[in-house]
Amino acid sequence: MDAMKYEGFVRGAFSIERDELINRGEDPLGLANADIFDMSYDKEYLDKSKLGVSTSIQLYNRKIFEDNTPNESDRLQMESLLGRALAANNSSDLISIIDEYIVLRDKYFTFKWNL
């Protein structure tokens, strides 16, 4: 379940400007894949998962900050979550960050295929 949440979060970030969600592994970094998250007990895959989450947050932030004016508290929290993703110690930390970020993202952003 957590691995699919990770994959969906990353796939969504790389689909921001598309009319539909990209498929598994179609992102340019090859990180939108639940298998990477499933293996994050290994440092190599934890680092890849951290890269996937942090890159996704940056992509979402860029789009949200360009198209909206989040309140100061939300903006600071969104920026803070990027740093937390980079410093995450394990996959549980990453899922908590994703969950927290999705609440903020959904206040300011709607995917084109959800319109």
Side-chain angles (χ1 to χ4, degrees), residues 35-70:
D35 293 340
I36 289 171
F37 190 84
D38 274 339
M39 295 175 57
S40 63
Y41 56 84
D42 179 273
K43 183 180 179 339
E44 174 187 353
Y45 290 94
L46 177 60
D47 288 346
K48 288 180 180 183
S49 296
K50 288 165 51 173
L51 180 60
V53 173
S54 58
T55 300
S56 297
I57 289 173
Q58 179 57 30
L59 288 169
Y60 288 125
N61 281 353
R62 182 187 55 82
K63 181 67 173 168
I64 290 168
F65 298 163
E66 283 178 1
D67 295 350
N68 300 280
T69 307

Side-chain angles (χ1 to χ4, degrees), residues 78-89:
M78 293 164 92
E79 291 172 349
S80 171
L81 288 167
L82 174 59
R84 286 177 47 200
L86 290 168
N89 293 314

